[in-house]
Amino acid sequence: MCGIVGYIGGQQVNDILLTGLQRLEYRGYDSAGIAIVAEGQLKVHKQKGKVSDLVATLESNGQLQGTLGIGHTRWATHGFPNDENAHPHTNVTGSFALVHNGIIENYGALRQKLKQKGYTFKSETDTEALVHLIDDVQKATSLPLEEAVRQALTQVVGTYGIAVVSVEDPDLLIAARMGSPLILGVGEGEYFIASDAAPLVEHTRQVVYLNDGELVVLRRSGFEVRTIDNVKLEKQITELEWDLEEIEKSGYEHFMLKEIMEQPESLENCMRGRLRLEENCINLGGLIEVMDDLRAAERVIICACGTSWHAALVGEYLIEKFARIPVEVEYASEFRYRNPILREGDVVLVISQSGETADTLAAVREAKQQGILTLGVVNTVGSTIARETDAGVYLHAGPEIGVASTKAFTAQVLVLTMIALKLAENRTLTDAEMAEALRAVSQIPDKVRKLLELDKELCNIAHSYRFANNFLYLGRGFNFPVALEGALKLKEISYIHAEGYPAAEMKHGPIALIDRFMPVVFIAMKDRTYDKVVSNIEEVAARQGSVIAITDEGNGELDKLCEYVIRIPHTEEFLSPLLTVVPLQLLSYHVAVMRGCNVDQPRNLAKSVTVE
Ligand code: F6R
């Protein structure tokens, strides 16, 4: 949700900012801008549209020279995506510029107060109120800019990741965060700040994670971190694990396709060192200290949003099956606002690819406040949720750049599978059963590899349905959450209305929608519910619905009922979401490409939803 980048050092900053913004564009892409301090001037260029539009304008106007600057790619919260509302925003005299990710919740009151003091507003953004507030504090106190920024932030209610540069001090970059992520990159006589690690990797691997309520003052000679309350802090420099290759498309047309195709490897990475076939056990280092509490849990509450919430639903089936611990799955956004009843013995487990989702983070904080053990299943190393939960398991899926989550989902389900099996160790599974389960898990990456060969077939199917207006996805048991995920994938990237349902629920309403214009995707794996699902397929076929079924290799029984049958490798029922979701990802991808949609940057969406 909005990307921020900043640089101070000896290199020309123009390209650093623009490349950084391109790497951050998945966080928001309705407008972009940069501000550069050079030769006694603060030069700002910002405009509606993608970063590529900004690059084209700057190329035709001549690059901005300078070695200090900030940039922003926006996902609009307050005010239309237009040139005026784009960031950076400047104060009235144009002496300093600011970029902001987050929401200044008391901007209305601030705006009114500042207007009374004579400030005029050029934009509709909440951010401009902060700019004028800093200006007002500085005028009233004659304090240095960094101190004025700090004092202004004490008056702000809401969330922010900000960066500020000023023409009056060409050796100063100020950044601060509250609820919106910011990372500091440390180089030789140069520093970077960014909303996440993507713009940093090609420059440095040394990073400092800023926490909420912290402000950093960067000069070419060094940096100092203070709290917004003005307490000096010593921060630890940590090593970034990302590779540049991981955040590039590597020959693929879209990040989404690359990430779908990477799943055999991301799943292997996720299980590496954790799945111990010889020792017949699971090793989850991040949970060792809390394992006794987790085993003794009376109830596990899983909170997440979007695709991660779908993984949570699979987790519910897995943990209840293997650990026999009751599980409740909550939308993080609902959990946080309804004063949830938490009791001793509860464990709150949150799932988040980015580790920055505002609602999921708020769920962690709510649980912690009530003294409840919190666990995180997170992809982004060093993210806020990873740092704030008591313990957790990283996905090790590598950076996910495509806005539609794919490889993170399968890695989340795999981690939840490993957690469930760990809880079953010496409890609900015999040694032989555990060995059988681990063997089946270990075969999953190869099975995904094999089913990715169906890409061409799925592309053909997509061609037949590219003009559909609606889609229904139906599945049961472990594959009900996959039906939800299949529908979400399609709607978010192709803008086709799609719904997911438990297959048996169809008769309680959605069946009314069935006619020859309604494609229905059935997940019909040969498991306990297969016969029931086949009856549902019959019901749809009888009403001329057009059925696409996903079933096991070698199963020819559905051919007469279905328009298309996608046959995938067989696995244990509890592992089938790891396979069944993949053709649905590919189907959505191809439909969206054929409809001319921007797959990696779907309209209105942003990866990492750091506002409520
Ligand atoms: C859908 C998608 C979103 C995210 C959701 C949670 O493809 O990507 O629904 O799953 O915004 O994000 P994280 O997992 O980062 O908390």
Side-chain angles (χ1 to χ4, degrees):
M1 205 117 297
C2 298
I4 289 179
V5 64
Y7 175 79
I8 182 166
Q11 301 185 58
Q12 284 299 318
V13 73
N14 188 89
D15 284 353
I16 294 176
L17 296 180
L18 293 176
T19 314
L21 290 182
Q22 266 155 347
R23 298 215 186 282
L24 286 174
E25 205 169 11
Y26 63 91
R27 303 179 65 89
Y29 31 82
D30 57 48
S31 52
I34 59 174
I36 293 183
V37 175
E39 295 157 1
Q41 283 182 293
L42 176 67
K43 295 174 191 155
V44 178
H45 194 95
K46 56 182 191 167
Q47 65 184 65
K48 179 176 184 298
K50 306 236 178 242
V51 176
S52 54
D53 300 325
L54 177 72
V55 171
T57 310
L58 288 170
E59 267 168 11
S60 56
N61 289 0
Q63 292 198 338
L64 304 180
Q65 301 293 309
T67 56
L68 167 66
I70 53 178
H72 188 268
T73 176
R74 181 169 185 247
W75 184 88
T77 59
H78 294 62
F80 285 116
N82 58 26
D83 293 356
E84 288 71 38
N85 291 334
H87 298 217
H89 291 278
T90 50
N91 62 333
V92 181
T93 59
S95 68
F96 71 84
L98 178 147
V99 288
H100 169 221
N101 167 24
I103 295 178
I104 308 296
E105 286 169 14
N106 60 338
Y107 86 101
L110 290 173
R111 212 173 153 108
Q112 205 176 359
K113 196 172 90 181
L114 290 158
K115 273 186 176 169
Q116 279 161 6
K117 289 187 171 189
Y119 283 93
T120 50
F121 283 75
K122 288 179 282 191
S123 77
E124 301 150 303
T125 63
D126 50 332
T127 306
E128 201 180 354
L130 175 59
V131 173
H132 293 324
L133 179 65
I134 295 168
D135 187 85
D136 186 46
V137 172
Q138 200 180 24
K139 273 200 195 119
T141 59
S142 303
L143 286 166
L145 183 61
E146 60 270 34
E147 190 49 23
V149 169
R150 190 189 67 72
Q151 290 198 10
L153 290 176
T154 62
Q155 299 178 43
V156 159
V157 178
T159 55
Y160 54 79
I162 59 161
V164 187
V165 289
S166 164
V167 73
E168 281 158 10
D169 192 342
D171 189 29
L172 174 69
L173 170 62
I174 306 160
R177 77 162 267 181
M178 177 68 79
S180 300
L182 265 192
I183 305 180
L184 161 62
V186 180
E188 289 284 319
E190 60 180 4
Y191 295 98
F192 305 79
I193 56 108
S195 302
D196 67 34
L200 307 182
V201 258
E202 63 206 270
H203 302 290
T204 179
R205 274 162 201 285
Q206 310 285 303
V207 298
V208 174
Y209 294 102
L210 292 183
N211 289 323
D212 278 354
E214 292 180 357
L215 178 143
V216 60
V217 174
L218 303 147
R219 297 188 183 278
R220 289 176 180 81
S221 55
F223 71 94
E224 189 179 275
V225 180
R226 291 184 174 270
T227 64
I228 303 295
D229 306 330
N230 211 14
V231 178
K232 193 168 171 227
L233 300 170
E234 289 305 323
K235 298 290 288 186
Q236 213 192 334
I237 297 181
T238 44
E239 186 88 12
L240 207 57
E241 286 179 6
W242 290 17
D243 281 329
L244 191 54
E245 205 180 273
E246 288 181 309
I247 57 169
E248 304 214 304
K249 283 193 204 151
S250 312
Y252 284 97
E253 202 179 330
H254 297 102
F255 279 111
M256 183 182 178
L257 184 60
K258 176 184 177 234
E259 288 158 7
I260 292 172
M261 294 297 176
E262 271 172 3
Q263 288 177 108
E265 292 76 36
S266 56
L267 290 167
E268 274 164 358
N269 291 340
C270 180
M271 62 176 75
R272 181 163 300 122
R274 293 167 167 172
L275 201 73
R276 303 270 176 95
L277 295 182
E278 299 84 54
E279 294 149 58
N280 201 27
C281 70
I282 300 271
N283 174 42
L284 295 172
L287 295 185
I288 288 175
E289 309 238 311
V290 297
M291 210 22 130
D292 288 345
D293 292 330
L294 185 53
R295 279 172 184 275
E298 300 278 333
R299 183 171 66 141
V300 176
I301 300 156
I302 313 184
C303 296
C305 304
T307 288
S308 299
W309 186 81
H310 297 154
L313 289 177
V314 182
E316 177 179 22
Y317 285 79
L318 287 163
I319 295 173
E320 293 199 341
K321 172 182 168 72
F322 287 110
R324 305 303 298 153
I325 298 172
V327 178
E328 282 171 30
V329 177
E330 298 255 10
Y331 285 113
S333 53
E334 292 299 314
F335 176 82
R336 61 179 295 195
Y337 279 117
R338 60 176 180 74
N339 194 9
I341 300 168
L342 295 172
R343 294 180 296 254
E344 208 184 323
D346 285 345
V347 172
V348 167
L349 187 155
V350 298
I351 305 175
S352 175
Q353 186 288 128
S354 61
E356 301 292 351
T357 300
D359 287 319
T360 311
L361 178 59
V364 172
R365 290 178 177 163
E366 171 71 36
K368 282 183 91 168
Q369 209 188 356
Q370 296 200 38
I372 298 297
L373 176 67
T374 57
L375 308 179
V377 172
V378 171
N379 195 31
T380 309
V381 176
S383 57
T384 311
I385 293 174
R387 285 179 291 135
E388 291 203 11
T389 40
D390 297 310
V393 184
Y394 278 121
L395 303 183
H396 296 317
E400 192 180 64
I401 312 285
V403 166
S405 189
T406 52
K407 65 176 180 173
F409 175 80
T410 45
Q412 287 165 344
V413 170
L414 177 58
V415 165
L416 292 163
T417 307
M418 292 191 285
I419 292 176
L421 289 174
K422 182 80 201 160
L423 289 170
E425 245 172 52
N426 307 322
R427 230 157 74 149
T428 53
L429 290 187
T430 63
D431 284 355
E433 286 165 339
M434 180 62 86
E436 184 56 26
L438 297 186
R439 193 191 51 78
V441 176
S442 72
Q443 292 172 346
I444 289 293
D446 277 340
K447 290 186 174 174
V448 174
R449 213 165 261 128
K450 182 142 187 255
L451 75 79
L452 286 170
E453 290 168 11
L454 297 172
D455 185 40
K456 192 110 200 294
E457 193 181 320
L458 285 151
C459 191
N460 290 338
I461 299 174
H463 195 261
S464 304
Y465 292 98
R466 67 196 189 283
F467 297 123
N469 291 322
N470 296 287
F471 254 86
L472 199 55
Y473 286 74
L474 301 173
R476 284 189 80 148
F478 282 96
N479 281 308
F480 156 53
V482 177
L484 297 179
E485 176 59 8
L488 176 63
K489 277 306 78 98
L490 187 73
K491 70 184 129 189
E492 69 182 332
I493 59 168
S494 72
Y495 320 138
I496 295 175
H497 169 246
E499 286 192 58
Y501 259 91
E505 271 293 304
M506 186 188 66
K507 287 195 287 297
H508 300 281
I511 197 164
L513 296 168
I514 308 292
D515 61 17
R516 67 198 167 89
F517 302 112
M518 176 62 97
V520 186
V521 178
F522 271 97
I523 306 160
M525 302 308 289
K526 285 244 171 182
D527 57 26
R528 282 172 306 153
T529 60
Y530 176 72
D531 291 340
K532 308 279 174 214
V533 174
V534 174
S535 303
N536 298 141
I537 295 178
E538 299 262 13
E539 287 151 12
V540 171
R543 287 161 182 82
Q544 293 185 301
S546 176
V547 177
I548 305 153
I550 296 172
T551 192
D552 299 76
E553 245 165 24
N555 180 10
E557 290 165 13
L558 302 176
D559 294 14
K560 59 183 183 312
L561 293 173
C562 303
E563 210 81 41
Y564 293 97
V565 179
I566 303 157
R567 280 172 259 269
I568 66 170
H570 179 76
T571 185
E572 299 294 328
E573 183 179 342
F574 72 94
L575 294 171
S576 69
L578 291 166
L579 304 186
T580 52
V581 75
V582 177
L584 302 188
Q585 296 168 343
L586 284 168
L587 181 66
S588 310
Y589 171 77
H590 289 299
V591 169
V593 170
M594 285 170 198
R595 287 166 71 97
C597 300
N598 186 340
V599 172
D600 281 337
Q601 295 172 352
R603 71 180 177 210
N604 304 338
L605 284 174
K607 205 159 182 77
S608 189
V609 182
T610 55
V611 296
E612 286 183 42

